[in-house]
Amino acid sequence: MFACIGIRLVTLQMLPTPAYADGGVNDRLRTVTLFASRGGIYDRSGVPLTHSVEARYVFADPTLVKDPKAAAAKLSPLLGVARSDLEARMAKRNLPGGTPSRFEWLARGVPIEKANQVMALNILGIGVDHDERREIPGADLAANLIGITGEDLTGLEGLEMRYDDVLRGTNGKHRFEYGKNDLNAPIPGGYSQVVPAKPGSSLTLTIDRDLQYEIQRSLSANAKEHKASMAAAVVLDIKTGEVLAQASQPTFNAADWEDYPPVDREDAATSFVVDPGSVHKAIIFGAGLEEGVITPKTVWKIPSTITKADVTYADTHPANNQKMSMAGALAYSSNVTTIKIADKLGPQKVYDYQLKFGLGKPTGEGMPGEASGHVLPPDEWNGSSPGSIPIGHSVDVTPLQMAAVYAAIANDGKWVQPHLIKDTVNADGSHVAPPAPETRQVISPQHAADLRYLMEAVTTIPGATGVNGRIKGYRVAGKTGTGKRVVNGEYAPGDVASFIGMAPAENPRYVVAVFAYTPGGGGGDVTAPAFREMMQYTLQHYRVPPSTKAAPKYTAFP
């Protein structure tokens, strides 16, 4: 018996020693994820709009927690997690392979001072480690653009979601020996292997933080004054296509986004689908100039109404068969004149120019879920379409699409794709520029200048629809609109008031578009004052010199 025992001891000590030693090490090994730092999102001058800051995560080893119920009662007030939830996470359980779970999340992104309080409780089986949380310095500033992240810092909405793969980075891991029971800590000098985390890249936006703040403030005040349930404003640099500001109403505090309904978190400029109404007329006049149907000096006798199929279209400032100039037609937003121009163009030309100006498909600005809108090809027109489509009905657009239309007119007829991303900053500090924006010539520079000349009448002719958009010291070209909101292919009650304009009219630098969904009201009364305030701030912010020459003198009825 003793001989057998002795032989067995020698066998165990001498032959499979490495295997047994490795088995003992494996029993003591723990793997902890090393989280990659998520990249930040910054405005055009490098000011953080959202970024990650150091925090802690709190975890439990259920095999060591002696009293989950008592531990949950102590931790709940500090972590803001329900007792029942914490108790369930700390309950002993087996993993799919049958081994006991040694790691369970209790909370992510815990502020360091809270994590210190957790450790001061000295609860066996509860630990903390390095983590990060998202900090939003501006609360609601550009929140509808930036979007939100979940508890694990995965992008859920907005640019956080659209560029999640760029911002996220790659996690690493740390595998090490860990003592048990009273030695619940890493073993000094024990096995340790680290795979470093790779930080995510950051985004620099084209957004100007100060301008964004002012546009949001102005839009919110205007929406409140006119009881608008939804509103949007966009500021574009016409030469580059950079979006300098893009505001939505309603908005939300991104730091406490769970307290707001999903509709408050939508980006109105790219998701707010509307019939544009009279702001669409600029496309028809631009096409008419380009195709030689009209010139800036064209004068027509204009009846008070025009009928297409069984629908009669009238003007709010009827000409009563007087001669009307093209400047007067835009100034008084003549439906009849616009329809007559479209008749000379024909359905196919109207459709072609809608597409050239960027309607019917997303701009590709960078926001996820951007609506495409819809324009009808000629074979889908009905009897009244030649009357409704030219004046901006039976046309679905977003505020951003229409802002880009006017930016093309301001930019000598060249459409430039609106975009939000200025560059990407890698973890090593290198900057990577995005692909160049798409551009195309829609109308000639001369005809774009002619159209700007005609649209300046909207803010200068006495009694014109856009006189409330006039800015002291600067010449302004623009257009008012009154349309409808489109929900699930149907018109919703109320009106969508709009004003889109450019300044200085003689040499435009910026386009501002304002849309507001109200119980009732036109663009001249509802959104033109907001445009004036926004454009005036934009021009002063970028120190654009005032106009040196007075606006042209127009005659509406020669």
Side-chain angles (χ1 to χ4, degrees):
M1 184 187 311
F2 282 113
C4 290
I5 292 172
I7 293 170
R8 181 58 177 163
L9 286 173
V10 170
T11 302
L12 291 174
Q13 290 288 331
M14 300 298 295
L15 298 180
T17 301
Y20 281 108
D22 289 345
V25 169
N26 286 332
D27 286 342
R28 298 189 301 275
L29 287 182
R30 175 177 296 178
T31 301
V32 173
T33 301
L34 303 177
F35 295 101
S37 178
R38 186 175 180 85
I41 300 177
Y42 300 86
D43 90 328
R44 62 185 301 109
S45 59
V47 177
L49 299 173
T50 181
H51 62 133
S52 295
V53 296
E54 186 180 0
R56 301 287 184 264
Y57 66 80
V58 180
F59 66 92
D61 180 345
T63 65
L64 300 178
V65 179
K66 296 179 179 179
D67 189 346
K69 185 174 182 178
K74 294 179 180 179
L75 293 171
S76 179
L78 294 175
L79 302 181
V81 181
R83 291 186 185 185
S84 56
D85 191 9
L86 290 173
E87 187 175 348
R89 296 185 198 185
M90 290 185 283
K92 292 179 173 60
R93 73 191 70 193
N94 289 332
L95 299 174
T99 58
S101 172
R102 299 289 309 275
F103 184 92
E104 294 291 336
W105 295 108
L106 297 185
R108 294 284 311 271
V110 178
I112 295 174
E113 61 274 13
K114 291 286 185 183
N116 291 339
Q117 293 177 45
V118 168
M119 293 308 295
L121 295 174
N122 200 28
I123 302 173
L124 186 64
I126 303 300
V128 303
D129 212 329
H130 289 275
D131 196 9
E132 62 180 29
R133 60 184 176 86
R134 216 60 172 157
E135 186 172 89
I136 301 96
D140 65 348
L141 186 69
N144 301 69
L145 291 176
I146 295 167
I148 59 175
T149 58
E151 185 182 38
D152 61 352
L153 295 191
T154 297
L156 301 179
E157 292 176 7
L159 296 175
E160 291 274 26
M161 180 181 77
R162 171 66 176 79
Y163 294 96
D164 186 62
D165 57 338
V166 174
L167 297 164
R168 189 173 54 239
T170 304
N171 291 338
K173 64 180 180 179
H174 182 197
R175 200 167 187 226
F176 55 92
E177 283 188 84
Y178 212 82
K180 293 184 178 181
N181 300 324
D182 293 338
L183 297 176
N184 183 30
I187 298 175
Y191 177 86
S192 178
Q193 184 183 45
V194 176
V195 177
K198 297 179 180 179
S201 299
S202 296
L203 296 176
T204 303
L205 304 187
T206 58
I207 295 295
D208 181 319
R209 180 192 62 169
D210 294 339
L211 181 63
Q212 177 74 25
Y213 174 84
E214 183 62 25
I215 298 301
Q216 282 190 213
R217 185 205 60 75
S218 181
L219 184 68
S220 177
N222 182 259
K224 184 177 180 180
E225 179 183 354
H226 296 284
K227 298 180 173 57
S229 57
M230 182 171 284
V234 179
V235 182
L236 292 179
D237 183 313
I238 65 163
K239 296 295 184 184
T240 65
E242 291 181 332
V243 180
L244 301 175
Q246 186 164 308
S248 298
Q249 183 63 32
T251 186
F252 69 103
N253 183 344
D256 298 307
W257 61 267
E258 299 95 335
D259 298 336
Y260 296 82
V263 68
D264 287 6
R265 305 197 301 265
E266 293 179 2
D267 172 56
T270 56
S271 66
F272 186 20
V273 180
V274 303
D275 257 19
S278 293
V279 291
H280 182 270
K281 291 174 182 175
I283 295 176
I284 304 302
F285 276 75
L289 290 165
E290 187 74 7
E291 297 297 322
V293 169
I294 59 172
T295 72
K297 297 181 179 180
T298 295
V299 174
W300 286 343
K301 280 188 176 181
I302 302 297
S304 298
T305 64
I306 189 169
T307 301
K308 297 294 181 181
D310 57 347
V311 180
T312 298
Y313 301 90
D315 284 342
T316 56
H317 296 72
N320 297 318
N321 279 316
Q322 295 182 80
K323 290 182 178 180
M324 178 178 266
S325 67
M326 294 299 104
L330 276 174
Y332 295 131
S333 199
S334 172
N335 292 329
V336 177
T337 305
T338 307
I339 293 169
K340 287 172 68 67
I341 295 172
D343 283 346
K344 291 182 178 294
L345 287 168
Q348 188 62 50
K349 288 290 186 183
V350 170
Y351 178 67
D352 289 344
Y353 277 93
Q354 286 177 321
L355 297 183
K356 287 179 182 178
F357 272 110
L359 304 191
K361 67 176 184 179
T363 66
E365 174 201 42
M367 289 298 294
E370 181 184 358
S372 63
H374 185 64
V375 291
L376 292 174
D379 59 4
E380 295 183 20
W381 286 32
N382 59 31
S384 63
S385 293
S388 62
I389 289 176
I391 63 175
H393 298 293
S394 304
V395 181
D396 297 349
V397 302
T398 65
L400 179 64
Q401 287 174 327
M402 290 308 302
V405 168
Y406 280 67
I409 297 167
N411 189 33
D412 289 333
K414 179 183 286 187
W415 185 89
V416 180
Q417 181 184 26
H419 54 281
L420 282 165
I421 306 302
K422 191 173 181 66
D423 63 23
T424 301
V425 184
N426 294 326
D428 61 5
S430 60
H431 291 248
V432 180
E438 178 188 345
T439 64
R440 59 177 172 272
Q441 196 72 36
V442 181
I443 59 177
S444 71
Q446 181 57 55
H447 291 137
D450 291 342
L451 183 52
R452 295 195 298 270
Y453 164 82
L454 295 177
M455 289 199 300
E456 198 170 351
V458 174
T459 63
T460 56
I461 289 183
T465 60
V467 291
N468 286 332
R470 190 182 303 164
I471 301 172
K472 184 177 181 180
Y474 294 92
R475 292 166 55 183
V476 175
K479 186 70 189 73
T480 58
T482 306
K484 292 290 184 180
R485 185 180 181 189
V486 181
V487 180
N488 298 324
E490 301 288 337
Y491 288 145
D495 292 322
V496 176
S498 58
F499 190 100
I500 312 176
M502 60 200 71
E506 70 277 17
N507 183 24
R509 295 278 301 275
Y510 307 103
V511 158
V512 173
V514 189
F515 285 71
Y517 176 45
T518 71
D525 297 323
V526 175
T527 49
F531 162 84
R532 180 182 65 239
E533 187 175 47
M534 294 178 189
M535 180 61 89
Q536 184 171 16
Y537 180 87
T538 302
L539 295 170
Q540 293 173 350
H541 179 66
Y542 290 115
R543 299 177 181 176
V544 178
S547 299
T548 56
K549 294 182 179 180
K553 299 295 183 182
Y554 301 93
T555 302
F557 300 101

